[in-house]
Amino acid sequence: MLGTSARIGEVLAIRLQDLDMDGPIPTARIAGTIISRKGEPTHRQDHPKTDRSVRRVALPAFALHAIRSRLLRSGDTDPGDLLFSTRVSTPHTTNNIRRLLRDVMDAAGIENVTPHRFRRTVATVVNDAQGALLASELLGHTDSRITMQHYIQRNETVNPVTAEHLERAFGKAV
């Protein structure tokens, strides 16, 4: 999730055919989501939350390494296989992954970590480096205001250069 900015259901819906790990820029295509409805089997939906959510994202080296490691362990090779599936090759439910993450974080003594926290973290990092427009594009939002309002953690520290300006203007007056 940190390597793609994708929602939990979008990550669980990535198929091997959605990965380009050998191109000049390794990418993952976010083009589906996992759906779990009462009375129905959990399944992959062939589109994510919105049309804008369909996107191809460049994979950072740490994500590419994790994907390659996952593929070596799973042995999956069919292009239609999910990158993350159960032992019997069915989709994971988002609730089971949330519970597993909660159990791991509790055992490590770490609080307040949710799948959505990863998405917010990615948005904040990209915003700090390149701005809200790129963060919004990466998250697949239709409007960067959504990204700013709900995903980017506001940095409350004002640029320290202000102290230099104030010193020049008023420093001798003290």
Side-chain angles (χ1 to χ4, degrees):
M1 287 183 279
L2 280 174
T4 62
S5 80
R7 297 168 180 93
I8 185 172
E10 292 171 342
V11 168
L12 294 175
I14 294 172
R15 301 164 298 188
L16 301 190
Q17 69 192 32
D18 298 323
L19 299 170
D20 178 1
M21 299 186 304
D22 299 317
I25 299 174
T27 62
R29 184 167 187 261
I30 309 301
T33 193
I34 296 299
I35 301 295
S36 298
R37 291 192 182 107
K38 194 170 187 141
E40 294 179 20
T42 297
H43 65 281
R44 183 186 186 279
Q45 176 178 281
D46 283 332
H47 59 86
K49 187 174 180 180
T50 66
D51 289 341
R52 175 73 185 214
S53 295
V54 174
R55 60 205 185 277
R56 186 173 298 279
V57 298
L59 295 170
F62 72 86
L64 187 60
H65 176 75
I67 290 169
R68 285 195 168 123
S69 178
R70 169 78 180 162
L71 290 174
L72 282 173
R73 283 192 317 273
S74 73
D76 293 335
T77 58
D78 185 280
D81 286 346
L82 293 172
L83 177 60
F84 301 104
S85 61
T86 66
R87 285 185 212 122
V88 293
S89 298
T90 58
H92 284 286
T93 66
T94 57
N95 284 340
N96 280 345
I97 298 301
R98 281 186 183 92
R99 181 186 43 76
L100 180 61
L101 177 63
R102 193 171 42 249
D103 291 348
V104 168
M105 292 296 114
D106 287 348
I110 301 171
E111 297 178 357
N112 299 321
V113 175
T114 64
H116 211 66
R117 175 75 55 153
F118 292 123
R119 201 161 146 78
R120 287 186 178 126
T121 299
V122 169
T124 300
V125 167
V126 172
N127 174 69
D128 289 352
Q130 292 287 311
L133 198 57
L134 184 58
S136 175
E137 182 181 340
L138 181 61
L139 270 63
H141 288 158
T142 54
D143 188 334
S144 62
R145 289 178 293 189
I146 294 167
T147 310
M148 289 294 295
Q149 188 174 15
H150 299 288
Y151 288 84
I152 296 171
Q153 182 176 349
R154 183 180 159 270
N155 182 350
E156 62 185 32
T157 303
V158 176
N159 187 332
V161 74
T162 56
E164 295 170 24
H165 294 302
L166 295 172
E167 182 63 30
R168 276 195 302 277
F170 307 114
K172 299 206 190 311
V174 176

